[in-house]
C-alpha cells in the first residue's frame, strides 16, 4: 500500500492509500489546508480548534452541495407533503367540529 506525506496545519502526516489514489489524496489534503489557512486568517489559533473549525467549514460546504443536488422531484414531493399535512390538519379540525355538532344534535333528539 503506497503512502503519501501530506502537510496540514504545519504538520506532516504519512497516510496510506490505494495504488493510483496518491494524487487524489494530495488534492484532498490541499483542500483541507485551504480551510485551515482560512480559519487561521480569521484569527483563530490552537491546533485542535483550527482543525475543528476547518472540518466544520468543509461539512457546511458539503451540506450546501448536497442541498443543491436534491432532485427537483424530491423537492416538489417535500413541498407537496408539507401541503398535504396542512390540509390534513384542517380536515381533522373540520371533522372534529362536525362530530361535536352531531353529538349536540343527538343529545337534543334524545331529550325531546
Amino acid at each position: 500500500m503506497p503512502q503519501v506525506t501530506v502537510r496540514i496545519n504545519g504538520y506532516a502526516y504519512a497516510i496510506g492509500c490505494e495504488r493510483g489514489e496518491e494524487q487524489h489524496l494530495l488534492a484532498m489534503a490541499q483542500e483541507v489546508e485551504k480551510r485551515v489557512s482560512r480559519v487561521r486568517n480569521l484569527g483563530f489559533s490552537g491546533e485542535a480548534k483550527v482543525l475543528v473549525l476547518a472540518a466544520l467549514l468543509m461539512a457546511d460546504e458539503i451540506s450546501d452541495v448536497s442541498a443543491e443536488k436534491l432532485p427537483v422531484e424530491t423537492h416538489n414531493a417535500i413541498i407537496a407533503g408539507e401541503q398535504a399535512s396542512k390540509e390534513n390538519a384542517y380536515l381533522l379540525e373540520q371533522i372534529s367540529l362536525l362530530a361535536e355538532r352531531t353529538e349536540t344534535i343527538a343529545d337534543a333528539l334524545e331529550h325531546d
Side-chain angles (χ1 to χ4, degrees):
M1 175 179 277
Q3 281 203 335
V4 177
T5 300
V6 298
R7 292 192 66 79
I8 298 174
N9 199 26
Y11 295 91
Y13 300 93
I15 308 291
C17 64
E18 296 294 323
R19 195 169 310 286
E21 293 292 317
E22 297 89 350
Q23 291 305 312
H24 179 70
L25 180 58
L26 289 170
M28 294 301 97
Q30 286 176 337
E31 290 297 320
V32 172
E33 184 59 29
K34 281 184 200 176
R35 278 36 168 229
V36 166
S37 294
R38 201 161 121 200
V39 169
R40 286 207 175 279
N41 288 338
L42 291 171
F44 293 98
S45 62
E47 182 182 2
K49 186 169 190 169
V50 167
L51 291 174
V52 167
L53 291 172
L56 289 171
L57 280 174
M58 294 181 83
D60 184 52
E61 291 168 11
I62 290 168
S63 175
D64 290 347
V65 168
S66 295
E68 290 172 7
K69 288 189 172 185
L70 188 65
V72 174
E73 296 83 12
T74 303
H75 179 71
N76 291 341
I78 290 170
I79 291 171
E82 289 171 348
Q83 182 62 33
S85 181
K86 289 177 187 174
E87 290 172 9
N88 286 343
Y90 173 76
L91 291 173
L92 182 60
E93 182 181 331
Q94 294 302 309
I95 290 170
S96 293
L97 290 173
L98 287 173
E100 286 177 25
R101 287 166 124 182
T102 303
E103 288 176 17
T104 302
I105 292 169
D107 284 344
L109 289 174
E110 284 179 2
H111 292 97
D112 283 343

